[in-house]
Amino acid sequence: MTDSKSTDPPPYHDWTSIPDTALLPPPPSLSYLSSPTANASEDEGERAYLWCKTNPLWPPYQLSPMDLSTLHAGHLTLIRPAEISGTVEPVRRAHPGTWHVRTNPNCRDNCLQTSLPVYSAIADSPLVNGTSRKTVYFEIHIISLGPQAHHANPFARMRAQPAEEAETGIAIGFIAPPFPSWRLPGWQRGSLGVHGDDGRRYVNNTFGGVDFTTAFKAGETVGIGITWTVSNEPPAYEEPPPAYGDFSGKSDGKGGKGEQGRKAKFDAEVFLTRNGAKTGGWDLHEQLDEEAEGGTDGLEGEKDIFPAIGTFGAADFEVRFNPASWMYRPR
C-alpha cells in the first residue's frame, strides 16, 4: 500500500506575489565612515571620546522664573568657545536673541552654544506642562562662506560665491551638555546636527554621517527643530529626571518616579527648513545612525537641550533665536 502523503505534490506557492511592506519599519540609515568634504583628525576624535567618558551628561537644572522667561522669549545669548577665531556679537538693530558670527579662514572646528537651554526638561516637558508635544527651533542666515566671509566690504560679501566646501563649513543642531567645544554638533554623545559642508545629518556619530540634504549656500536661511510627542508605547527609561512622573504624567511623590520607577517615552522628529519651508526630517528613534555612539541618550526630552552651531574656516552668518525673526513658523 502506497503512502499517499509521500506522493502528493508540494503545496503551491505563488512566487509572483509581492508582500505588503507598508507596515514594516523603515530600513536602517546608511552611515558612512568618513565625510566626502572635511574630516577632523583621529586624535581630536579620541580626545573628545575620552572627554565625554569623564564628563557625563548633566541632569536637568531648575531654572529661575526670569531664566525661563528669557528662554521662552528667544532672548538667548551665545557663548564664545575658546577654539573660535573671529567675532561673536549681538545684533543691536535686530530682535533680541540675534547674533552675528564671523570666523576667520584659519578657524578650527568649534561649537557655539547658548548660555541657557532652549528646552528645560523640568519646565517644558509635555509630562510636566500638560501638553502632548513640545517643539524647539532656531534659524541661521548665511551671509557668506569661504575667505570672502572676512572681507571688510559688506557689499563684496554679498556678491561673493561660496568657496569649496572643504575649506569652510557650518553645522546646526542641538546638544545636551556638557559638550566638547572643539567638536561639531552631532559628532559626540548627546548631540545631533546637520552639516552644511556635506549635507549629511549626524546623531552621536563620530564618523561620516547619513545623506540628508544638499550643502548650505550663501544667502540661505536654514533652520532646525525637534518636536517631542508623548508616545503611546509603554513607559521606558529607568532613571527619569526630577519632577517627571509616570506614564500618565502624575508624580508618585518620591522624586518624580512613577509606579514602576519609569517615565513616559517621547516620539521625536527632527526637521530642517530652508528659506522658510520645511525640507526634510527624520524620526530620531527609527532612523538612528548605524554608527551612533550612545544612541539617542540626552536627546529624548529627559535632559536640558541647547542650540548649537558648529563652524570651521571662514563663515559669516546671523543666528536667530527670537521667533519674531524666523522665516518658518513651527506649529
Side-chain angles (χ1 to χ4, degrees):
M1 182 174 177
T2 305
D3 185 356
S4 60
K5 292 183 179 180
S6 64
T7 59
D8 289 343
Y12 173 73
H13 180 81
D14 184 2
W15 297 103
T16 64
S17 65
I18 301 175
D20 181 9
T21 60
L23 299 180
L24 295 177
S29 302
L30 178 62
S31 296
Y32 295 91
L33 295 179
S34 64
S35 168
T37 55
N39 296 276
S41 69
E42 291 186 9
D43 288 344
E44 288 183 342
E46 181 65 19
R47 180 162 68 101
Y49 176 78
L50 295 176
W51 187 93
C52 289
K53 293 283 285 184
T54 56
N55 292 273
L57 295 176
W58 295 343
Y61 183 73
Q62 182 72 61
L63 298 174
S64 70
M66 181 176 293
D67 285 342
L68 288 172
S69 177
T70 297
L71 76 88
H72 290 154
H75 299 176
L76 299 179
T77 299
L78 274 179
I79 298 175
R80 177 194 175 100
E83 293 79 8
I84 202 168
S85 173
T87 58
V88 181
E89 300 172 331
V91 181
R92 305 295 181 187
R93 58 176 171 76
H95 296 288
T98 304
W99 290 77
H100 181 212
V101 179
R102 187 166 65 184
T103 57
N104 299 327
N106 63 348
C107 185
R108 298 177 293 162
D109 291 345
N110 67 88
C111 184
L112 295 120
Q113 70 174 73
T114 53
S115 59
L116 289 174
V118 70
Y119 167 87
S120 165
I122 292 177
D124 295 328
S125 165
L127 299 180
V128 174
N129 59 26
T131 62
S132 61
R133 56 188 286 158
K134 172 67 178 179
T135 296
V136 296
Y137 177 79
F138 74 97
E139 291 181 348
I140 64 170
H141 175 69
I142 303 172
I143 300 171
S144 187
L145 295 169
Q148 68 273 10
H150 205 65
H151 201 287
N153 185 343
F155 296 101
R157 290 202 304 271
M158 292 175 63
R159 293 193 301 268
Q161 298 297 318
E164 290 296 325
E165 292 176 333
E167 296 178 3
T168 186
I170 302 175
I172 59 173
F174 297 96
I175 62 171
F179 188 80
S181 60
W182 67 94
R183 300 288 281 173
L184 303 187
W187 275 352
Q188 306 300 145
R189 59 96 174 95
S191 73
L192 63 84
V194 176
H195 292 203
D197 58 312
D198 57 16
R200 292 179 176 176
R201 60 172 173 82
Y202 295 74
V203 181
N204 299 355
N205 186 335
T206 60
F207 297 93
V210 175
D211 290 333
F212 180 62
T213 188
T214 56
F216 298 167
K217 297 179 181 179
E220 280 193 305
T221 297
V222 183
I224 191 168
I226 307 177
T227 297
W228 293 281
T229 306
V230 176
S231 174
N232 291 324
E233 295 182 11
Y237 305 101
E238 295 292 344
E239 295 297 332
Y244 268 39
D246 59 13
F247 190 61
S248 66
K250 299 177 181 178
S251 173
D252 65 353
K254 300 178 181 179
K257 293 185 179 181
E259 181 179 2
Q260 299 178 349
R262 299 186 173 198
K263 75 176 182 66
K265 176 183 177 182
F266 293 121
D267 294 327
E269 181 208 5
V270 186
F271 62 93
L272 187 79
T273 70
R274 300 181 82 152
N275 296 326
K278 194 173 180 179
T279 58
W282 74 92
D283 185 294
L284 191 61
H285 303 105
E286 293 186 358
Q287 296 170 275
L288 182 64
D289 298 14
E290 290 180 350
E291 305 296 339
E293 176 68 33
T296 57
D297 288 350
L299 304 172
E300 301 279 1
E302 84 282 18
K303 303 289 186 182
D304 294 340
I305 298 293
F306 290 67
I309 306 97
T311 67
F312 63 89
D316 190 353
F317 58 96
E318 281 189 359
V319 186
R320 299 168 178 173
F321 300 118
N322 194 322
S325 63
W326 294 342
M327 293 185 69
Y328 177 76
R329 301 296 178 188
R331 294 187 227 172

